[in-house]
Amino acid sequence: MFPVQTPIMAKRVAVIGAGSSGLTSIKCCLDEGLEPVCFESSDDIGGLWKFKEQPEADRCSIYRSVIVNTSKEMMCYSDFPMPDHFPNYVNNSTLLQYIRLYAGHFNLLKHIHFQTTVRSVRQRPDFSNSGQWEVVTVDRDGREETHVFDGVLVCAGFYTQPIKPLSDFPGIDTFPGTIIHSWEYKDSDPYLGKRVVVIGIGNSGGDIAVELSRVCEKTFLSTRKGAWVIGRVVDRGLPLDMMMMTRARDLFYWLLPRALLNLILERILNQRFDHKLYGLQPVHRILDQHVVINDDLPGRILLGDLAMKSNVQKFQGSTVFFDDGTVEEKIDAMILCTGYDYKFPFLPTSLSSGSDGDLKLYRRIFPPSLERPTLAILGLFQTKGAIMPAVELQARWASRVIAGLNHLPPAEKMNKSIEKDVQANLKSYPSPKLAALQVDHIPYIDSIAKEVGVRPNIAWLLLKDPAVGLRVFFGPCSPYQFRLNGPGHWSGARQAILTQWDRVAKPMKTRSIPEPSSFGLISWLGLSGGAALIFALMAMQIIPLFLNSD
């Protein structure tokens, strides 16, 4: 008789949140043989991208007209391209549609417990040996339940705690108008014919100011430091990130002196419009902080419907005084686009460091203070590239660490790495908490991909498959690159890379334009004989010389 073998139970992993990060975390757990159990406090998937008429406490909130700043080919999941007919820059409802397609394609919904809130996540008494967690949840009927998990993936988002620095504005208590944060803003309807001050020039501040400028009597955009502004569309009408986020360009930038590179890039942007003339000139260099991506901001300033202002000095009733000495009267409303803080009240306080509640995270994922690396926080970073594929790589690595397939370095080494990253960013971001969030996009995702074992080998690709290798190096650093080989290999990755520009063109081909006929030229050459041919060849040589002369 053969001995009866006891089946090995799959490790159970709690996934907190069913937004874009939570869904890919569920899939990554399944890919590594783990058993994910997802808890979502709302009644639907989508997280940040699900629009609601009223904001809900401790949840993400967006305005009705949100359009993403990263193109569909750069922000999709690595093994699930967006449909080719989707526009290159999708709005929130189209992105939500894509997220639902992803969840349906990989059958993820059955792992989600909706309307279930996580109250606490605590280490079990034997954590140093088991690495297990006790997770307390409350369902829609108020029933409390305690679960035991072998791992926890926190995907709760961090655009949930709006920062409202009202104490920075003396006299604000005398202001009779409305004051809201961009977290509360939904559309421009309440501001028709009003005079509104928008404070803060991040992407939300720029978007909201532009939208208001179309309906308000006057819109003022107040900024302390200014910003570099670039549109979503660049050379030949192609998507910004597909042209800018390439390995070849990243290498070129690394080779050039930073001061020279700043000078070149700033000159390029100022050729589109003079940032100083438009009141946008920032105090920082272009590579030091994030640029503002906005297609319409310069045009609204040019039309006079939007006016740039310096920092607000004080309020006196409905009159606003600015640092540059200018004054605006009869202001009806103020909208604060002053960013967000983050907090995870269900996590142990021991994971936080400092009075500001900062979370020290190795590679922006793992708390080095844990004896066992069975908890990861995903999506808690800021980058100049697309968030979703970066979070997907985080989830691929985290699920492999929890499954025991990858291992982390000693805590001392992780802490040194964290400190090095913070120090490198402090010059541009004076707050250590904010500096810790910043990552350099391609180097960061490559570092995670290396841990997973999926970073593309450019030299090997160029030798084995030049068509793909050239596109991987010189073309956009699209997510499919991380499915070409290694764990999680996807057989469709090569074709996705070869056809990515076809999917860019597809949604724009809405009008049939016939190719120019060569019949007329050929007939004319045939009739005119050799003299005409010689004249044409001479013209082809002379005209470029003429056009290029000063």
Side-chain angles (χ1 to χ4, degrees):
M1 293 183 64
F2 294 98
V4 177
Q5 293 191 3
T6 304
I8 299 175
M9 300 296 290
K11 289 184 177 180
R12 299 178 73 239
V13 178
V15 178
I16 303 174
S20 58
S21 302
L23 290 171
T24 196
S25 294
I26 296 172
K27 180 184 178 295
C28 291
C29 285
L30 294 170
D31 290 344
E32 301 302 342
L34 303 171
E35 181 187 340
V37 180
C38 179
F39 301 110
E40 168 56 45
S41 59
S42 73
D43 58 0
D44 198 1
I45 63 174
L48 170 66
W49 303 109
K50 185 171 177 59
F51 173 79
K52 290 192 174 183
E53 294 287 349
Q54 294 295 328
E56 299 176 1
D58 298 322
R59 290 185 185 167
C60 300
S61 176
I62 57 173
Y63 39 96
R64 193 186 306 276
S65 61
V66 162
I67 296 176
V68 299
N69 289 327
T70 50
S71 65
K72 67 176 181 180
E73 290 298 303
M74 300 295 279
M75 72 175 300
C76 65
Y77 296 115
S78 59
D79 54 358
F80 194 70
M82 286 198 190
D84 59 0
H85 66 276
F86 275 24
N88 284 287
Y89 289 97
V90 298
N91 60 23
N92 60 284
S93 60
T94 305
L95 183 53
L96 184 59
Q97 182 184 347
Y98 168 72
I99 290 171
R100 287 174 174 156
L101 289 172
Y102 177 80
H105 180 78
F106 292 109
N107 199 19
L108 306 179
L109 295 180
K110 66 180 182 180
H111 301 282
I112 305 173
H113 297 261
F114 290 105
Q115 293 184 315
T116 303
T117 302
V118 173
R119 283 284 173 85
S120 70
V121 176
R122 297 291 181 267
Q123 295 149 296
R124 299 199 76 201
D126 64 344
F127 180 81
S128 59
N129 293 318
S130 68
Q132 291 183 325
W133 299 84
E134 285 187 356
V135 177
V136 178
T137 61
V138 178
D139 67 15
R140 69 193 73 187
D141 299 317
R143 289 191 296 265
E144 189 172 282
E145 188 174 356
T146 300
H147 316 259
V148 175
F149 288 101
D150 300 292
V152 176
L153 297 178
V154 180
C155 309
F158 74 105
Y159 293 106
T160 59
Q161 311 297 322
I163 297 174
K164 296 183 177 181
L166 296 180
S167 59
D168 291 351
F169 308 112
I172 191 67
D173 54 325
T174 69
F175 180 60
T178 59
I179 303 173
I180 66 167
H181 191 275
S182 57
W183 180 79
E184 303 164 84
Y185 177 85
K186 293 300 173 182
D187 55 47
S188 62
D189 290 352
Y191 304 97
L192 178 64
K194 302 287 183 65
R195 291 168 59 84
V196 180
V197 174
V198 178
I199 295 182
I201 197 175
N203 286 318
S204 293
D207 285 348
I208 291 172
V210 164
E211 183 167 278
L212 289 174
S213 70
R214 294 191 171 97
V215 301
C216 288
E217 177 189 319
K218 191 75 173 184
T219 304
F220 304 96
L221 179 53
S222 168
T223 171
R224 286 181 300 173
K225 298 180 179 179
W228 295 103
V229 179
I230 189 169
R232 293 177 177 88
V233 182
V234 290
D235 301 343
R236 292 177 293 139
L238 298 174
L240 168 69
D241 52 357
M242 293 190 74
M243 299 299 290
M244 300 296 290
M245 289 290 177
T246 73
R247 295 179 181 279
R249 188 182 290 267
D250 210 53
L251 176 61
F252 179 70
Y253 284 1
W254 181 77
L255 292 172
L256 279 182
R258 191 175 179 89
L260 176 61
L261 189 54
N262 275 318
L263 189 65
I264 293 170
L265 294 175
E266 290 167 8
R267 181 177 176 83
I268 291 171
L269 286 194
N270 278 325
Q271 284 180 340
R272 182 181 173 227
F273 66 89
D274 187 332
H275 281 63
K276 185 175 182 180
L277 177 65
Y278 277 66
L280 290 163
Q281 182 79 42
V283 297
H284 59 267
R285 305 306 301 268
I286 190 169
L287 292 176
D288 290 346
Q289 295 188 22
H290 295 271
V291 297
V292 170
I293 300 177
N294 195 295
D295 301 303
D296 302 320
L297 186 59
R300 302 312 298 176
I301 296 172
L302 192 63
L303 293 173
D305 295 320
L306 175 60
M308 295 302 303
K309 305 295 289 187
S310 61
N311 190 49
V312 171
Q313 184 186 81
K314 65 178 181 179
F315 284 81
Q316 196 173 87
S318 61
T319 301
V320 181
F321 296 79
F322 297 92
D323 282 348
D324 60 3
T326 59
V327 178
E328 296 296 340
E329 300 178 337
K330 299 180 181 179
I331 299 300
D332 300 293
M334 179 172 74
I335 299 177
L336 298 167
C337 300
T338 43
Y340 294 83
D341 199 355
Y342 63 83
K343 67 176 182 178
F344 304 107
F346 49 82
L347 290 180
T349 55
S350 59
L351 296 182
S352 300
S353 62
S355 58
D356 59 0
D358 184 26
L359 283 168
K360 289 183 66 176
L361 299 173
Y362 176 62
R363 302 284 183 84
R364 297 311 307 159
I365 305 172
F366 298 101
S369 59
L370 292 176
E371 296 175 86
R372 300 288 298 274
T374 54
L375 180 141
I377 298 175
L378 307 184
L380 192 58
F381 63 92
Q382 292 182 340
T383 177
K384 295 176 183 178
I387 296 290
M388 283 170 52
V391 172
E392 182 188 29
L393 277 168
Q394 287 186 328
R396 292 173 72 179
W397 186 26
S399 58
R400 289 180 62 81
V401 169
I402 292 173
L405 300 171
N406 285 80
H407 303 281
L408 301 183
E412 182 181 359
K413 188 173 181 179
M414 288 192 284
N415 281 316
K416 286 182 178 178
S417 175
I418 294 169
E419 183 61 25
K420 181 181 177 182
D421 291 341
V422 172
Q423 289 300 321
N425 291 325
L426 275 177
K427 181 179 178 181
S428 300
Y429 301 90
S431 161
K433 187 174 183 179
L434 189 58
L437 292 173
Q438 312 306 315
V439 299
D440 194 0
H441 188 71
I442 292 180
Y444 179 73
I445 59 177
D446 265 354
S447 70
I448 305 300
K450 182 181 179 182
E451 298 290 349
V452 180
V454 296
R455 186 173 70 176
N457 185 323
I458 306 298
W460 182 82
L461 274 174
L462 288 170
L463 289 172
K464 182 186 177 185
D465 192 349
V468 171
L470 289 170
R471 287 168 171 82
V472 168
F473 183 67
F474 290 103
C477 186
S478 49
Y480 322 118
Q481 297 183 11
F482 304 106
R483 292 285 180 179
L484 287 169
N485 51 55
H489 164 75
W490 174 45
S491 60
R494 181 181 188 276
Q495 186 63 16
I497 292 171
L498 294 176
T499 57
Q500 56 194 356
W501 287 107
D502 296 334
R503 287 188 296 279
V504 170
K506 173 72 173 181
M508 296 190 286
K509 290 184 175 180
T510 56
R511 172 175 169 252
S512 177
I513 301 177
E515 294 293 331
S517 173
S518 59
F519 175 78
L521 177 61
I522 292 171
S523 300
W524 180 81
L525 286 175
L527 292 172
S528 303
L533 177 59
I534 293 171
F535 178 79
L537 291 173
M538 290 176 62
M540 290 173 65
Q541 295 295 322
I542 294 170
I543 290 174
L545 293 174
F546 176 75
L547 292 176
N548 291 331
S549 63
D550 290 328

